[in-house]
Amino acid sequence: MSRPQPQKRATVHDIAAAAGMSRGTVSRVLNGGYVSAEARAAIEAAMSDLGYVPNNAARALKMRRSQAVAFVALEPHSLFLDDPNIGSIMLGANAALSLADHQMVSLVVESARDTERVARYLSGGFVDGAIVVSARTKDPIIRVISDLSLPAAFVGHPPDLDQTIPFVGIDNVGSARAITEHLVTTGRRRIGMIAAALDRDSGIDRLAGFRDALGPLFDDELVSDVPHYDYGSGVKGMRDLLEREPAIDGVFAASDAIAAGALEALREAGRSVPGDVGVVGFDDSTWAVRCQPQLTTVHQPAKEIGSCAAQLILRQLRGEHPDPGGQLLPTPLVLRDSA
């Protein structure tokens, strides 16, 4: 007597044919991705009719994940350690990832060689996604992320960022406009700005907001361009502004660290704050309350930004598609003693 032949195991192709769906749609259902309720119902009915049993071992191997997410900071190594804003973003991201049982891996990019090294690492399967901070306009890391199709979230929005990649940030133009308008209401008329990081969206947008707020009071000669959001740049920028315009009576510093450096330069020059010169910052970081006088500034919700960026990654790993257009968080003014 011949032995009965075992029943052929149903495949993804069989399910797709029975349900009238593409194999890609079937795969998304099997892997927990998003499909319409109607498509899911049809596919699940076909699986039941065909007696489909998933090959969990093969699926686990195919979907092998590291449970790790990269935190890529495009900053000089020294600034990465000293900038409380970046630190807060990192802490917020790490807290959200930890709750989801994911590890965060920090990667610092300062040079073209760093970019090549990080690109190799990101493509090696060591991480499931990447949070990118401080990307410049036309930064090579943007192309790297796009080419890898790696789940990603950017903090900030470089102009050339692919529309399919989500981002989280703040309205830098509106925030800079609001803090500058406050400076104007205090009676200042010769107002300058220490503008930093004009190779990225945050720096460009803060300068645009400053210009908008001043209108006819804006003087291009009273903008000192410095490379980084750090204390040393504030000292240098303030000395530059005092040399250009000794009668300057108001300063918008593009970050609190810059404002702290500006206060030091004003002390050196014998100027009182806010008596002779009103000074405002940006971030509401630990620098703001360590300064004397304490800084009037813009509150940037850095931890919340980091947490939101991590959530965007986790949503993509669950097969969801974050809404295009990005997410902007509120930035209230914090009025203290410097202006």
Side-chain angles (χ1 to χ4, degrees):
M1 178 185 293
S2 62
R3 300 177 61 183
Q5 295 296 313
Q7 184 177 358
K8 180 185 176 184
R9 187 186 187 113
T11 66
V12 170
H13 180 80
D14 297 329
I15 298 168
M21 301 287 172
S22 70
R23 282 181 292 177
T25 303
V26 174
S27 293
R28 284 198 294 277
V29 170
L30 295 175
N31 295 328
Y34 173 78
V35 299
S36 69
E38 294 80 4
R40 183 177 296 278
I43 290 168
E44 289 176 348
M47 290 167 60
S48 177
D49 292 343
L50 294 171
Y52 176 77
V53 178
N55 186 338
N56 288 327
R59 180 169 175 263
L61 182 63
K62 183 178 179 180
M63 292 188 65
R64 183 177 59 214
R65 287 182 173 166
S66 65
Q67 296 294 109
V69 172
F71 185 92
V72 184
L74 292 99
E75 294 284 6
H77 291 71
S78 58
L79 190 58
F80 176 75
L81 294 174
D82 292 342
D83 189 335
N85 207 43
I86 293 177
S88 293
I89 294 171
M90 182 189 301
L91 290 174
N94 187 63
L97 292 171
S98 295
L99 286 174
D101 291 325
H102 281 65
Q103 178 66 38
M104 190 174 75
V105 180
S106 298
L107 305 171
V108 182
V109 177
E110 187 175 9
S111 65
R113 183 173 178 273
D114 287 341
T115 300
E116 294 173 2
R117 171 180 54 81
V118 168
R120 289 194 301 271
Y121 184 83
L122 294 178
S123 64
F126 302 108
V127 295
D128 301 326
I131 298 168
V132 183
V133 181
S134 299
R136 275 70 170 169
T137 301
K138 297 183 179 178
D139 201 300
I141 201 69
I142 298 173
R143 179 64 180 273
V144 168
I145 295 291
S146 296
D147 288 349
L148 291 175
S149 297
L150 187 70
F154 276 65
V155 173
H157 186 244
D160 51 333
L161 183 66
D162 191 298
Q163 292 184 352
T164 63
I165 300 177
F167 71 93
V168 60
I170 61 171
D171 178 4
N172 281 288
V173 175
S175 300
R177 183 189 302 117
I179 195 70
T180 305
E181 286 173 347
H182 168 75
L183 200 52
V184 173
T185 65
T186 66
R188 317 293 169 168
R189 289 297 177 267
R190 294 297 288 161
I191 300 174
M193 179 179 179
I194 306 175
L198 294 179
D199 57 350
R200 69 184 87 160
D201 61 299
S202 62
I204 295 169
D205 288 351
R206 290 176 198 181
L207 177 56
F210 173 75
R211 184 192 301 266
D212 289 350
L214 288 185
L217 292 177
F218 177 79
D219 184 346
D220 190 60
E221 282 299 306
L222 293 185
V223 176
S224 180
D225 177 6
V226 297
H228 303 300
Y229 293 119
D230 66 337
Y231 179 91
S233 293
V235 174
K236 178 180 179 297
M238 191 67 245
R239 288 172 178 165
D240 181 38
L241 287 176
L242 286 169
E243 183 175 338
R244 296 186 194 185
E245 175 54 277
I248 192 168
D249 62 359
V251 176
F252 168 38
S255 78
D256 292 341
I258 289 176
L263 291 178
E264 176 61 27
L266 287 167
R267 273 191 290 271
E268 290 176 353
R271 307 296 177 87
S272 67
V273 176
D276 297 326
V277 183
V279 177
V280 295
F282 201 107
D283 290 334
D284 196 24
S285 68
T286 53
W287 280 106
V289 292
R290 285 159 47 193
C291 288
Q292 290 297 326
Q294 293 188 350
L295 291 173
T296 287
T297 187
V298 174
H299 176 74
Q300 180 164 200
K303 283 188 179 179
E304 291 84 351
I305 288 172
S307 178
C308 287
Q311 292 295 343
L312 286 171
I313 298 291
L314 294 171
R315 287 179 59 190
Q316 292 172 76
L317 294 178
R318 291 194 296 266
E320 300 175 25
H321 300 281
D323 296 333
Q327 183 176 0
L328 299 181
L329 302 187
T331 52
L333 299 188
V334 181
L335 303 183
R336 297 193 179 97
D337 301 329
S338 64

